Each structure stands twice: as C-alpha cells, then as structure tokens.
Amino acid sequence: MVAPVQPKAPKEQPREQLQLLLDAPATPDRVVAVANMFADAARAAGADASTVTMEVHNWATDATLRGWGEEGARQVNDIIWVLREPTLAIAQAPQLRGVAQAFAKHGKALAKSGGRFRHKGARGRKGDLGVLDDRFVDVMERVGKDDTVPVQRVGTTELHTPVLRVGRVQVDQPLKVRIIAGGKACEVSFDGPEAARRVLADAAIEEHWCRVQISARWVLEDGAHRLDPTSIVVRDATRWTPLSGAASLTQIGTLSAATSALLLDQLIDEE
C-alpha cells in the first residue's frame, strides 16, 4: 500500500487571516453556515480563489479566512474593518455593504453557538474582533440595509451663545470669534457682514448672548453626526436675550398656534 503524498507547505504565508471560533461541535449545518458566510463576505470584498482561501476544522468549529498577497490581505482587511467599525466602514466604502449582509444572513444560524472573531495579521499580530451573537447580527442587518449614512454632513444652523472674545491674534490674520459650541468654548472663523461683527463685539464687551448663524460640518462618530468645532464659520449674528419662565408666559399671546402646541408638548414631556 502506497502512503499518500503529503502536500508541500506553501513558500508564501498568508498576509492577513480572519478566524471564527465557535464553542460548539462542527455539525454539517454549522460548517455549511460558516462556509457560506465567509464565501459571501469574501465575494462582497472582491475576493476570489486566487486571493483568499478558507480552512475549516471538523472537531470544534474553527474556520479561518486567509488573504494571500497584497490583494488578498487588503480584501481580508476590508472584511475585518466591517467587523471592527461597521457603521464607519459602510459609510466610507458602501461597496462593502454586501459583507455586512453576509454576516447578517448566515450569522443568524450561528448566533447561539458562542462564536468569536479573531484577527491574525502579519508578523504575529493578533486581536479579538468581537462576538457573534444576536446583537452582532442586528448591527450587521442595520448597516447592511442602510445606504444613507454619509461620513459627514455640511450645512447651516443657529446657535445661542455668549461671545467670549472677538479679535485677531495678529493684524494680518483673519477675525476669530470665541463662542460656546457643543458645550465647549471654541475659537471659530467669522465671514459675515460688518453689522454682525459689531453685534459680536458689543456682546463680548457687554457680556450678553447672541443668536449666531453658522455653517459647519457634522462628522460621523459612534453612529451619530457630531458638530466639528474646527469647521464652524459664523455667518451672521443678532443680539439675543434669554427669557425666564415668567417672562415667557407674558409672550404667550404673540405665539402662533403651531408654536404654542409645540411648547405645550415640550412641557408635557418634561413632566
């Protein structure tokens, strides 16, 4: 009897590897689900058999997706990016939405099996990427369906703020205004009419508040868009005096029906 020939170990080693470990036996259904999940995720990342391979162990469910060469490493890293930062990854690379869809579709059958993802990179770099549970599947379903999450938004809004300072650090530098935005003091740019500049200067001297119109950028952070203080430009300003509760009641008669209804709703919500 001739002993089987052992395949030679490849000279090249995989550049990046994504591993899924399940604390459960490798039943046929689990193996199929893992294989389909990795196969669909790899296809969505643009991989094929020449750049990405997969290995599944049959005792405990242990599957590894391996990226070969620079292209395979990039494709596996794209899949890992979706696992690490799903909202940001899909927002910046919408073509990876299929990766999230693959994890959501096939992950449902594996969510109760105690799974966890690990990254094994070049030069022995390793790291946990999270667990495969119901919450993971929910997140992947959400980002897989949502195609309207921009990385940033640009627009205008109004702020009510004290004016802490108006001036220039040097004569040849643009005018800066120090206001409160997002609960913090911020040094922002000014590009508005002379009348607005005078309003801001008076507010800084007399220590009263202003209603300022700003243009700015809102950046996606942790799934929500947050105002980027470094992008704020003051476009206009008018004097604004906060009203006390008693003073507000004296103005009720001047409010429109819609505004009165909105105010009433807010008061009810606060109770």
Side-chain angles (χ1 to χ4, degrees):
M1 180 177 180
V2 179
V5 177
Q6 294 293 325
K8 295 182 179 180
K11 295 181 180 180
E12 181 189 10
Q13 294 299 312
R15 297 279 295 273
E16 299 290 343
Q17 300 182 69
L18 170 62
Q19 188 177 31
L20 172 62
L21 303 171
L22 293 180
D23 187 19
T27 63
D29 288 343
R30 289 196 185 99
V31 171
V32 169
V34 171
N36 287 336
M37 181 171 66
F38 274 177
D40 288 352
R43 277 192 291 269
D48 58 31
S50 67
T51 58
V52 170
T53 60
M54 186 178 70
E55 177 181 292
V56 179
H57 294 282
N58 294 325
W59 180 249
T61 310
D62 174 357
T64 304
L65 193 67
R66 294 173 170 167
W68 300 86
E70 291 186 5
E71 187 176 3
R74 178 186 57 79
Q75 292 159 347
V76 172
N77 271 328
D78 281 345
I79 297 171
I80 290 171
W81 185 24
V82 173
L83 290 173
R84 278 197 173 123
E85 300 176 296
T87 302
L88 182 62
I90 302 306
Q92 292 188 348
Q95 69 274 16
L96 296 178
R97 184 169 292 109
V99 174
Q101 292 170 351
F103 284 126
K105 177 181 177 180
H106 303 292
K108 291 180 180 179
L110 304 168
K112 305 298 185 183
S113 301
R116 65 187 186 278
F117 292 100
R118 285 183 57 80
H119 171 213
K120 182 179 179 182
R123 299 178 183 176
R125 292 185 294 110
K126 296 181 180 180
D128 289 325
L129 298 172
V131 298
L132 198 171
D133 56 11
D134 290 330
R135 182 178 179 278
F136 168 84
V137 173
D138 290 342
V139 170
M140 290 299 153
E141 283 185 335
R142 176 175 58 81
V143 299
K145 292 178 181 177
D146 188 358
D147 58 356
T148 60
V149 183
V151 179
Q152 63 182 28
R153 300 179 188 273
V154 177
T156 61
T157 189
E158 288 188 348
L159 298 177
H160 296 89
T161 173
V163 180
L164 307 179
R165 191 180 74 83
V166 179
R168 295 178 172 87
V169 177
Q170 296 181 2
V171 176
D172 60 344
Q173 289 187 344
L175 188 71
K176 295 288 185 178
V177 183
R178 194 167 180 81
I179 62 174
I180 303 297
K184 298 180 180 180
C186 305
E187 199 92 357
V188 303
S189 300
F190 174 80
D191 184 13
E194 175 62 19
R197 187 199 64 78
R198 290 196 297 268
V199 168
L200 293 167
D202 290 344
I205 295 171
E206 300 171 11
E207 298 183 352
H208 65 69
W209 285 52
C210 282
R211 177 189 288 116
V212 296
Q213 290 185 350
I214 66 168
S215 60
R217 178 176 61 246
W218 284 258
V219 180
L220 189 67
E221 293 181 3
D222 300 325
H225 285 89
R226 307 185 190 281
L227 178 63
D228 176 8
T230 64
S231 71
I232 295 175
V233 178
V234 175
R235 302 295 183 181
D236 203 354
T238 55
R239 181 163 179 157
W240 182 73
T241 303
L243 292 177
S244 65
S248 299
L249 293 177
T250 66
Q251 304 296 320
I252 289 294
T254 66
L255 300 179
S256 67
T259 304
S260 299
L262 177 61
L263 180 60
L264 181 59
D265 288 342
Q266 291 175 338
L267 291 173
I268 292 173
D269 289 341
E270 291 178 359
E271 292 179 354

